[in-house]
Amino acid sequence: MVKFSELNISETTLKSVRRMGFEEATPIQEGTIRLGMEGKDIIGQAQTGTGKTTAFGIPLIEKIDTKDGNVQGLVIAPTRELAIQVSEELYRLGQDKNVRILSVYGGQEIGRQIRALKNRPQIIVGTPGRLLDHINRRTLKLDNVNTLILDEADEMLNMGFIEDIQTIMSSVPETRQTLLFSATMPDAIRRIAEKFMKTPEIVKIKSKEMTVENIEQFFVKSVEREKFDVLSRLLNVHQPELAIIFGRTKRRVDELAKALNIRGYVAEGIHGDLSQAKRMSVLKQFKSNKIDILVATDVAARGLDISGVSHVYNFDIPQDPESYVHRIGRTGRAGKKGVAVTFVTPREMGYLSIVERTTKKKMEALVPPTADEAVLGQKRVAMEQLIEMTDKNNLGDYREFATQMLEKHDAVDLIAAALKTLTKEPEDIPVQISEERPLPSRGGGGYKGKGGRSGGGGYKGNRSSGSGRPARSGGSSGASRRREGGSGGGRPGRTRRHES
């Protein structure tokens, strides 16, 4: 593996990369950064989860002139979720250079975006319909764009955005550098490359068929509001030595860690907003068994070298199969057996089929334990603790107290009382876990629950949040509004400045 420090990156950007915890570049990153820094057009063929954002993000950030307040970089992404994710990672990459970044997408009040655009962002990350809307309103000027990036181009094709993309690309100066990323290369994407790119270099990374032989894989079908109680019961029954729980968002990680501590577990969360010092402190505690459960986002867990993890719980199913394999690969190491449990809401069942096809392993449905079964598990643990303490025969003067108690009480009652004291019964203390929207079923992507499982969701490009409120996309075409809509949820796009 090549280190980022060997890729001719400026010290400022390298500082940001190191703060994110990255040392070595993935294959897609090495190829894209080397060619991208030379100003070449690039076609990157790689699955999600291979580090694409950092791959195109570093050359993009390096090229930005922070003294110039015009939009210099444009990233087109198929969904609101991806646009937010990409803008957040670009923000972290450009933090030490003070690059201003704004994400714009359907479903968010357009007036707010127009105001944010007046703050002179240098990079725009947006979904096709909303970008067109701003272009038509003349609130987004692309005359100074020197880098154009299409992320997940095949997904945009599947969602019917191909004409929108061509219109946007025609609005950007021809002298630009263009980077196109796509997991597959259908003819329509090839035609775009031929029409809009200049002798592009191809960086192709084969999708690894990763096997997970030592890991027992289960899924639990559960509605969002019941997931935490089910997780608590599973933890009580499984009694993992060390466990990692993966959440989709930073908010999710924080809430899960807090809720687990309320319920009596020793848990800590790590995500991208934590300082490197805090992150390292949490990992040190986890490795030394001072923390039973680590709650993490994908970004924070990347590159972690942790051994001894017995269980991995995907509280939220990841958006792509390679992230899934990366997550569960934290267990089942060094020849040991591991257990992976993935929570799936009914509308996300299609993602399960994709994961199974990638790993070539069918997941077993796990029936969640009842509350009584969970308590029984705790009682067994208490019994084992009591027996272990007895076997160690390190009881000293406790024997004298025991003898005194036996004179007044029945032996069975005393042991029962000791077991009850040691048993961690479920707490009734309420916990707050915000509901997350299910992953969108990407139209044409095959997320239709193949393999006999129903409930793929079948969005077919309709991005509404299920709230019934239409997206407010202003002047863009109705088709773009419908495809990209959605309201509520998500963070408002805003220009971000690094503040020292």
Side-chain angles (χ1 to χ4, degrees), residues 326-339:
H326 188 257
R327 286 180 180 189
I328 72 166
R330 302 289 163 205
T331 184
R333 290 185 172 185
K336 291 184 180 178
K337 288 282 182 188
V339 175

Side-chain angles (χ1 to χ4, degrees), residues 10-285:
S10 69
E11 274 303 316
T12 311
T13 304
L14 203 52
K15 186 178 173 185
S16 297
V17 170
R18 284 178 176 146
R19 186 190 284 113
M20 292 165 76
F22 301 163
E23 289 291 336
E24 296 177 331
T26 65
I28 190 78
Q29 288 167 352
E30 181 191 349
T32 305
I33 291 167
R34 284 191 194 282
L35 294 166
M37 299 277 278
E38 292 172 12
K40 294 183 177 175
D41 282 10
I42 295 169
I43 294 175
Q45 192 168 347
Q47 302 285 343
T48 305
T50 50
K52 288 188 286 102
T53 308
T54 299
F56 66 68
I58 288 176
L60 173 60
I61 294 291
E62 289 283 80
K63 213 168 169 185
I64 297 297
D65 176 4
T66 50
K67 294 187 182 74
D68 182 351
N70 292 303
V71 176
Q72 300 163 52
L74 179 66
V75 183
I76 311 175
T79 65
R80 167 171 64 182
E81 291 80 8
L82 187 62
I84 293 168
Q85 184 183 316
V86 167
S87 63
E88 286 179 346
E89 187 146 347
L90 291 178
Y91 169 67
R92 287 193 290 272
L93 285 169
Q95 197 167 0
D96 290 280
K97 192 175 175 178
N98 297 335
V99 177
R100 296 191 297 276
I101 295 154
L102 177 68
S103 54
V104 295
Y105 43 81
Q108 185 188 49
E109 188 187 344
I110 197 154
R112 179 189 291 170
Q113 289 177 0
I114 291 168
R115 288 191 296 275
L117 282 162
K118 289 176 182 174
N119 290 329
R120 309 204 79 192
Q122 290 146 333
I123 296 174
I124 299 288
V125 184
T127 47
R130 186 49 65 98
L131 286 172
L132 264 185
D133 199 340
H134 283 294
I135 290 167
N136 292 335
R137 288 168 179 261
R138 304 189 188 282
T139 49
L140 174 60
K141 294 180 175 60
L142 302 175
D143 304 343
N144 295 88
V145 169
N146 53 41
T147 310
L148 173 66
I149 294 158
L150 274 72
D151 195 9
E152 297 199 5
D154 49 354
E155 284 301 323
M156 291 194 270
L157 170 67
N158 289 338
M159 292 168 66
F161 285 137
I162 207 78
E163 289 179 12
D164 292 354
I165 289 167
Q166 293 191 54
T167 305
I168 295 165
M169 292 182 82
S170 300
S171 307
V172 179
E174 287 184 17
T175 52
R176 66 173 185 266
Q177 177 184 16
T178 307
L179 290 78
L180 183 152
F181 291 85
S182 191
T184 58
M185 278 294 153
D187 288 342
I189 300 299
R190 289 184 196 280
R191 284 195 292 273
I192 279 188
E194 287 167 10
K195 183 177 179 181
F196 291 100
M197 301 178 79
K198 303 181 291 289
T199 56
E201 299 277 350
I202 295 171
V203 180
K204 189 172 182 179
I205 307 301
K206 286 185 180 175
S207 177
K208 288 177 281 194
E209 251 180 39
M210 303 189 212
T211 53
V212 279
E213 298 302 328
N214 285 340
I215 305 169
E216 289 184 276
Q217 296 175 70
F218 303 93
F219 76 91
V220 175
K221 192 173 179 180
S222 170
V223 294
E224 180 72 23
R225 66 180 173 277
E226 293 173 3
K227 278 161 73 170
F228 184 74
D229 283 332
V230 172
L231 173 67
S232 299
R233 289 181 212 157
L234 284 172
L235 290 170
N236 287 344
V237 171
H238 290 168
Q239 287 300 311
E241 292 171 36
L242 278 179
I244 300 181
I245 298 172
F246 283 97
R248 192 174 296 143
T249 63
K250 289 173 281 195
R251 179 184 70 179
R252 180 73 109 187
V253 165
D254 287 337
E255 290 182 354
L256 275 174
K258 185 177 179 183
L260 286 164
N261 280 292
I262 288 170
R263 291 287 169 91
Y265 305 98
V266 185
E268 284 276 4
I270 59 168
H271 51 64
D273 276 2
L274 294 184
S275 68
Q276 185 69 2
K278 173 66 175 170
R279 192 165 170 259
M280 298 314 292
S281 167
V282 170
L283 290 177
K284 190 176 177 184
Q285 291 178 71

